[in-house]
């Protein structure tokens, strides 16, 4: 018998933050896993900002026999509910109108189900709402006002997500005549045309108050348990100062995250617009299906991103003027990550504990170009 919407409403916000598979679904997952006879090491991986989350998720999987998706959502909740983390959830940097809009998606490998929300406002844990979409509807994605209405009906708590810290950063951005916002220059208008990297920022120190924060945000987390069951989740506040309604790769199944219980899981952080065009997470899983290692699959996908990037976002040597990272976890516990440029790290939790490990890369530090930044123009 289907679970009614009203039955769920009374649970309240606290319970909403801990949505789990119903007993029948959990039993089906366990039966299917037992039949396969798979046995491998439990592993949880994420972007570096998920170091606390991978530790929690691994503990839930190994000590509490928690479902992999329940565990990693609990892991990303740590960052979503942390007002000091300006990448996701509460305290995330807002859009150009000062409104925090959040995106998230999740996939559950054993049941082959998925859920997502885009541009949702006033709900701190979009990853949980994405899972509610998966669990209680016949849809995969809800967006905007409809996503918020659904969340409120499910019992989630409405709250102001713009912290004073993020509001001050937004006001600082608003005070700038910003040459690198999300609007493209119209040919022939004042201020249009190519700009030399750093030309508008000469003489402005990195710790100067006129330097404005900019982030593409995001946390991706993937897990596999000893039975080989795989899940993935990605959650974000998106690009700071974005045009209202902008949705990146995080809530798009196959771009921001993807999993297949017969192969593994993958996800991304960084410039979502670049990843959307190659369906990066799906592509990585497909590469692993073809026999590539997680590292090979991530690096090959980075190459595909570069090949699909328009000229305005490449330096004269054809290297991307943005950062993008991919994370991959195979069903047998092998994992890796890769970034466009050297220096990134990722979080992992396994029998060796929770730690940060280096990621593979396509370009070295010396090949990294001057990246466009948001800062005030000099008068």
């Amino acid at each position: 018998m289907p679970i009614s919407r009203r039955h769920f409403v009374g649970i309240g916000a606290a319970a909403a933050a801990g949505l789990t598979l119903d007993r029948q679904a959990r039993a089906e997952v366990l039966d299917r896993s037992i039949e396969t006879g798979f046995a491998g090491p439990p592993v949880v991986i994420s972007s570096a900002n998920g170091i606390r989350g991978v530790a929690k998720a691994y503990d839930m999987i190994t000590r509490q026999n928690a479902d992999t998706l329940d565990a990693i959502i609990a892991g990303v909740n740590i960052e979503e509910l942390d007002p000091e983390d300006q990448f996701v959830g509460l305290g995330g940097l807002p859009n150009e109108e000062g409104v925090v809009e959040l995106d998230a998606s999740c996939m559950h490998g054993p049941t082959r189900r998925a859920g997502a929300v885009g541009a949702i406002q006033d709900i701190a844990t979009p990853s949980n709402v994405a899972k509610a979409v998966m669990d209680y509807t016949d849809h995969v994605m809800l967006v905007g006002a409809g996503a918020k209405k659904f969340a409120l009906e499910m019992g989630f708590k409405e709250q102001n997500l713009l912290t004073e810290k993020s509001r001050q950063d937004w006001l600082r951005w608003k005070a700038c005549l910003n040459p690198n916002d999300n609007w493209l220059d119209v040919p022939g208008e004042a201020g249009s045309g190519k700009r030399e990297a750093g030309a508008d920022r000469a003489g402005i120190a990195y710790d100067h108050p006129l330097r404005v924060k900019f982030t593409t945000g995001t946390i991706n987390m993937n897990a596999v348990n000893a039975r080989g069951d795989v899940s993935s989740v990605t959650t974000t506040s998106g690009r700071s100062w974005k045009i209202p309604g902008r949705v990146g790769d995080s809530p798009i199944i196959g771009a921001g995250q993807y999993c297949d219980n017969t192969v593994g899981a993958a996800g991304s952080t960084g410039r979502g617009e670049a990843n959307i065009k190659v369906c990066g997470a799906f592509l990585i899983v497909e590469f692993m299906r073809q026999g590539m290692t997680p590292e090979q699959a991530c690096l090959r996908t980075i190459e595909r991103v570069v090949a699909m990037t328009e000229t305005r976002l490449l330096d004269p040597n054809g290297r991307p003027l943005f950062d993008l990272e991919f994370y991959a976890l195979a069903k047998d516990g092998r994992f890796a990550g890769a970034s466009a440029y050297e220096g990134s790290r990722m979080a992992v939790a396994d029998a060796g504990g929770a730690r940060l490990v280096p990621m593979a890369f396509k370009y070295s530090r010396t090949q990294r170009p001057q990246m466009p930044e948001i800062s005030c123009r000099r008068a």
Side-chain angles (χ1 to χ4, degrees), residues 186-207:
V186 177
E189 288 190 358
S192 66
K194 291 185 177 180
R195 304 185 183 94
E196 294 183 5
D200 293 316
R201 299 180 300 280
I204 301 179
Y206 278 93
D207 60 351

Side-chain angles (χ1 to χ4, degrees), residues 91-250:
L93 292 175
N95 63 25
E96 67 178 16
E97 294 181 353
V99 178
V100 179
E101 292 181 322
L102 307 178
D103 309 321
S105 66
C106 65
M107 287 192 76
H108 187 244
T111 57
R112 301 181 296 278
R113 297 166 72 187
V117 291
I120 188 172
Q121 300 177 10
D122 304 323
I123 306 295
T125 55
S127 62
N128 290 105
V129 185
K131 188 173 186 299
V133 172
M134 182 190 85
D135 285 340
Y136 299 106
T137 79
D138 189 38
H139 306 321
V140 169
M141 179 183 287
L142 298 177
V143 300
K148 178 180 176 179
K149 181 175 183 290
F150 168 79
L152 295 176
E153 290 176 342
M154 287 288 101
F156 287 85
K157 177 185 176 183
E158 181 177 10
Q159 65 184 111
N160 178 18
L161 302 180
L162 186 65
T163 61
E164 181 60 21
K165 179 180 179 181
S166 291
R167 189 180 78 88
Q168 289 298 325
D169 287 331
W170 171 68
L171 290 174
R172 190 172 295 114
W173 174 79
K174 290 282 284 185
C176 289
L177 296 173
N178 172 34
N180 289 314
D181 58 21
N182 292 301
W183 294 92
L184 298 181
D185 289 332
V186 177
E189 288 190 358
S192 66
K194 291 185 177 180
R195 304 185 183 94
E196 294 183 5
D200 293 316
R201 299 180 300 280
I204 301 179
Y206 278 93
D207 60 351
H208 193 283
L210 288 185
R211 279 202 176 271
V212 180
K213 287 184 181 178
F214 174 79
T215 180
T216 51
T218 313
I219 176 172
N220 165 253
M221 192 172 293
N222 310 283
V224 63
N225 62 18
R227 297 184 298 272
D229 290 330
V230 182
S231 293
S232 53
V233 63
T234 298
T235 180
T236 186
S237 56
R239 293 177 65 176
S240 54
W241 335 127
K242 60 193 173 186
I243 297 171
R246 177 266 187 186
V247 171
D249 61 330
S250 295

